């Protein structure tokens, strides 16, 4: 078997019948040139037909059926065989093709009988050639068997064989180039099919991601609740369709309605699963259900985080992920905020009377880090005009044009400016996101989910003192 033209003795000159004059010799030469021209046009038409099929067929197997037929005709061989590999090197039995005929059918049957352990190719084209060529030669038993590789971007994708039993069959360099053209078109078809399958797989993933994003968006509050004496505003901007950020407003007494519900105690929560995408979103959805059930117990924030850590320990250990979570409950009648922190970014509290910012923090480990963990607790009383900002690390770690991070110092300055301007909760939130967007730039994507929640205590109406009687 050969993949290149073998060395052959110089063929004898064409025999021309004896002629009686120059006119007959010229006619014979013209006949020979016409024959060569017809053969060239035929080969061009065969290659053009195969190229048209490559553009037109969406069924890979229909195209591959043509490859051995065209290959055999273009080199005037008795038959041809196409052997195709899976991307992982296994023999792709569904796409084995040969020219019609009982001999080719028997060849395919015998080739299909070989187990994968014997036919699986090793890395590289040379290994495929060394494995398959002797096998095909022995199965065919033809004196003249020639082959070339079908190559894709990822390496060898198959072998194309032509064979002939005719005596005097000659293999030329033109034959080799024509056979390689057919093999190259076959390689393009295989690569196109892989790209098509990848595109379909990505489309399915995109649909699943869209469904996941829709479900997660429904789990986040679609609007902030009405709580007496405060304004609320919140927004989550995921880096991907599905993110790991979470915030929630949970009534401690969900059975209350109307004004009693507005005056009742509320849990305000913000958290972040380490990681991005679908796994983080699924874990945060799981924790949301656990946390909502735990809030109904009415326990203080430190006990709730301790119980949540115990319940989520097994699930988080299997996923090798952890969760940061800041949990607080707010009593509107006393304007009292109790809180506990599981290693989340401490919220920022702007004190209107003093014109300064405080951090609300308490000791505590990540959720899921260890089963027995204690969490500190603290509380603070909010005054009229005070503004509280909850946020995730996607805000402070957002990259800018120069590669710098937005960092906490920029957030502090932006938050201070927004609070001093006297904006409401929604205005403060909008101004902070606008400042973040300017820093990141319109053509850049966030690397992590960014979430912020703003709570502002309404300012009381201060009546002027009455003049002395």
């Amino acid at each position: 078997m050969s993949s290149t033209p073998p060395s052959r003795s110089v063929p004898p000159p064409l025999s021309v019948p004896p002629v009686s004059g120059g006119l007959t010799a010229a006619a014979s030469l013209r006949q020979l040139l016409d024959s060569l021209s017809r053969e060239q046009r035929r080969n061009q038409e065969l290659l053009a037909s195969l190229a048209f099929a490559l553009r037109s067929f969406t069924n890979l197997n229909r195209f591959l059926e043509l490859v051995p037929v065209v290959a055999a005709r273009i080199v005037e061989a008795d038959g041809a065989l196409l052997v195709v590999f899976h991307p992982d090197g296994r023999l792709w039995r569904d796409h084995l093709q040969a020219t019609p005929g009982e001999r080719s059918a028997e060849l395919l049957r015998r080739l299909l009988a070989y187990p994968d352990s014997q036919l699986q190719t090793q890395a590289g084209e040379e290994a495929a050639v060394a494995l398959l060529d002797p096998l095909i030669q022995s199965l065919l038993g033809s004196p003249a068997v020639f082959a070339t590789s079908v190559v894709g971007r990822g390496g060898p994708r198959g072998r194309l064989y032509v064979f002939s039993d005719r005596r005097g069959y000659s293999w030329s360099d033109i034959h080799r180039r024509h056979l390689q053209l057919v093999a190259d078109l076959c390689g393009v078809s295989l690569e196109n099919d892989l790209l098509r399958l990848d595109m379909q797989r990505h489309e399915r993933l995109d649909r699943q991601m869209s469904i996941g994003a829709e479900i997660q968006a429904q789990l986040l509050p679609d609007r902030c609740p009405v709580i007496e004496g405060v304004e609320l505003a919140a927004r989550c901007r995921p880096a991907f369709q599905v993110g790991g950020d979470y915030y929630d407003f949970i009534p401690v007494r969900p059975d209350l309605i109307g004004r009693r519900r507005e005056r009742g105690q509320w849990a305000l929560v913000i958290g972040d699963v380490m990681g991005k995408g679908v796994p983080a979103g699924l874990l945060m959805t799981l924790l949301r259900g656990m946390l909502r059930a735990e809030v109904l117990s009415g326990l203080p924030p430190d006990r709730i985080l301790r119980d949540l850590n115990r319940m989520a320990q097994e699930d988080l250990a299997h996923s090798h992920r952890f969760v940061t979570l800041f949990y607080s409950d707010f009593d509107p009648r006393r304007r009292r905020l109790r809180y506990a922190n599981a290693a989340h970014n401490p919220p920022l509290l702007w004190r209107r009377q003093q014109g300064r910012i405080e951090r609300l923090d308490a000791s505590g480990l990540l959720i899921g880090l260890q089963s027995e963990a204690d969490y500190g607790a603290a509380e603070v009383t909010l005054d009229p005009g005070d503004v509280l900002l909850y946020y995730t690390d996607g805000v402070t770690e957002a990259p800018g044009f120069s590669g710098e991070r937005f960092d906490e110092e920029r957030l502090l300055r932006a938050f201070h400016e927004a609070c001093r301007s006297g904006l409401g909760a929604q205005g403060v939130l909008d101004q902070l996101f606008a400042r973040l967007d300017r820093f990141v730039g319109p053509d850049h994507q966030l690397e992590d989910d960014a979430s912020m929640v703003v709570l502002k205590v309404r300012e009381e109406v201060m009546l002027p003192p009455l003049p002395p009687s």
Side-chain angles (χ1 to χ4, degrees):
M1 183 181 299
S2 174
S3 299
T4 58
S7 59
R8 296 180 180 272
S9 58
V10 179
L14 292 170
S15 59
V16 181
V19 294
S20 57
L23 182 61
T24 306
S28 298
L29 182 60
R30 187 163 54 249
Q31 184 180 5
L32 176 61
L33 292 175
D34 289 342
S35 175
L36 292 174
S37 179
R38 284 194 301 271
E39 181 182 357
Q40 186 178 25
R41 285 198 301 271
R42 186 203 63 179
N43 291 343
Q44 289 175 347
E45 290 173 358
L46 286 171
L47 291 172
S49 299
L50 194 62
F52 176 79
L54 176 62
R55 296 194 307 269
S56 305
F57 284 6
T58 56
N59 186 317
L60 176 64
N61 213 42
R62 287 185 61 194
F63 175 81
L64 296 182
E65 288 175 358
L66 297 176
V67 172
V69 176
V70 173
R73 291 187 60 185
I74 205 167
V75 299
E76 299 178 330
D78 293 341
L81 169 69
L82 174 64
V83 179
V84 181
F85 309 143
H86 277 285
D88 62 3
R90 291 179 296 113
L91 183 68
W92 203 342
R93 288 177 163 81
D94 293 340
H95 291 322
L96 289 179
Q97 300 292 344
T99 47
E102 181 59 33
R103 184 183 185 188
S104 297
E106 177 63 22
L107 174 64
L108 291 179
R109 282 195 296 269
R110 295 178 65 182
L111 188 59
L112 288 170
Y114 277 81
D116 281 336
S117 59
Q118 297 183 30
L119 291 174
Q120 187 167 5
T121 62
Q122 302 175 18
E125 183 179 354
E126 293 182 0
V129 172
L131 179 68
L132 274 176
D133 286 4
L135 174 63
I136 300 302
Q137 179 79 60
S138 64
L139 291 177
L140 282 171
S142 297
V145 180
F146 304 95
T148 190
S149 290
V150 177
V151 181
R153 291 179 302 173
R157 295 301 311 279
R159 291 282 279 174
L160 179 58
Y161 300 89
V162 292
F163 52 89
S164 178
D165 294 330
R166 296 200 314 270
R167 295 188 63 181
Y169 179 76
S170 62
W171 180 256
S172 66
D173 188 60
I174 294 177
H175 286 160
R176 181 188 63 79
R177 283 183 285 177
H178 283 159
L179 188 66
Q180 189 61 56
L181 280 172
V182 175
D184 290 344
L185 290 173
C186 180
V188 171
S189 71
L190 292 170
E191 289 299 316
N192 286 347
D193 191 66
L194 281 180
L195 291 174
R196 179 184 62 83
L197 294 176
D198 283 343
M199 187 179 299
Q200 290 177 351
R201 184 163 54 251
H202 285 306
E203 288 174 353
R204 289 194 298 270
L205 288 174
D206 286 342
R207 286 195 297 270
Q208 293 172 7
M209 292 284 285
S210 298
I211 294 171
E214 182 179 347
I215 293 173
Q216 189 183 36
Q218 292 172 355
L219 294 177
L220 290 175
D222 56 351
R223 61 181 181 273
C224 296
V226 176
I227 301 177
E228 186 178 77
V230 300
E231 302 174 17
L232 285 170
R235 187 182 306 165
C236 174
R237 184 175 294 170
F240 298 89
Q241 282 184 288
V242 181
D245 278 10
Y246 165 66
Y247 63 84
D248 209 349
F249 313 104
I250 311 169
V252 177
R253 291 280 307 277
D255 56 313
L256 300 178
I257 59 174
R259 293 285 294 172
R260 294 182 62 194
R261 186 186 183 96
E262 296 174 12
R263 295 172 181 170
Q265 194 170 342
W266 285 79
L268 286 75
V269 189
I270 191 165
D272 183 9
V273 174
M274 290 185 175
K276 311 177 186 68
V278 174
L282 291 174
L283 284 174
M284 188 51 78
T285 303
L286 175 69
L287 285 172
R288 175 187 182 272
M290 292 181 181
L291 181 60
R292 281 187 159 249
E294 189 67 21
V295 168
L296 300 179
S297 66
L299 293 171
D302 56 325
R303 286 286 307 278
I304 286 181
L305 286 188
R306 189 179 69 179
D307 293 347
L308 179 66
N309 178 65
R310 287 175 177 173
M311 289 188 295
Q313 180 67 37
E314 184 174 353
D315 294 315
L316 292 173
H318 289 162
S319 68
H320 305 289
R321 294 175 186 268
F322 307 105
V323 178
T324 68
L325 190 72
F326 186 91
Y327 179 88
S328 61
D329 60 39
F330 180 65
D331 183 352
R333 291 173 298 179
R334 302 178 183 177
R335 295 198 300 268
R336 184 189 66 180
L337 185 83
R338 301 186 303 175
Y339 58 89
N341 193 4
H344 192 76
N345 301 83
L348 305 177
L349 174 61
W350 186 74
R351 291 293 195 177
R352 175 179 173 275
Q353 293 293 333
Q354 294 83 9
R356 59 181 174 83
I357 294 176
E358 303 173 1
R359 291 179 179 85
L360 303 186
D361 201 3
S363 60
L365 296 175
L366 297 160
I367 301 292
L369 187 61
Q370 62 183 43
S371 57
E372 294 299 327
D374 292 324
Y375 296 90
E379 65 177 66
V380 64
T381 300
L382 304 183
D383 297 323
D386 287 353
V387 183
L388 181 60
L389 172 65
Y390 302 79
Y391 66 96
T392 60
D393 59 5
V395 176
T396 51
E397 294 182 7
F401 293 106
S402 61
E404 290 184 286
R405 303 292 177 176
F406 190 69
D407 67 44
E408 190 182 44
E409 286 303 316
R410 287 188 177 87
L411 180 61
L412 284 167
R413 291 196 297 269
F415 182 50
H416 192 270
E417 293 171 5
C419 293
R420 288 187 60 189
S421 62
L423 297 171
Q426 188 63 54
V428 171
L429 183 70
D430 292 341
Q431 187 163 318
L432 291 177
F433 266 106
R435 179 68 184 87
L436 179 65
D437 291 340
R438 288 196 303 272
F439 180 82
V440 173
D443 299 326
H444 291 74
Q445 177 71 25
L446 292 174
E447 293 181 354
D448 196 4
D449 312 325
S451 300
M452 286 188 273
V453 177
V454 176
L455 179 149
K456 180 175 182 179
V457 182
R458 291 193 177 96
E459 299 182 25
E460 296 176 346
V461 178
M462 302 297 293
L463 297 176
L466 295 174
S469 55

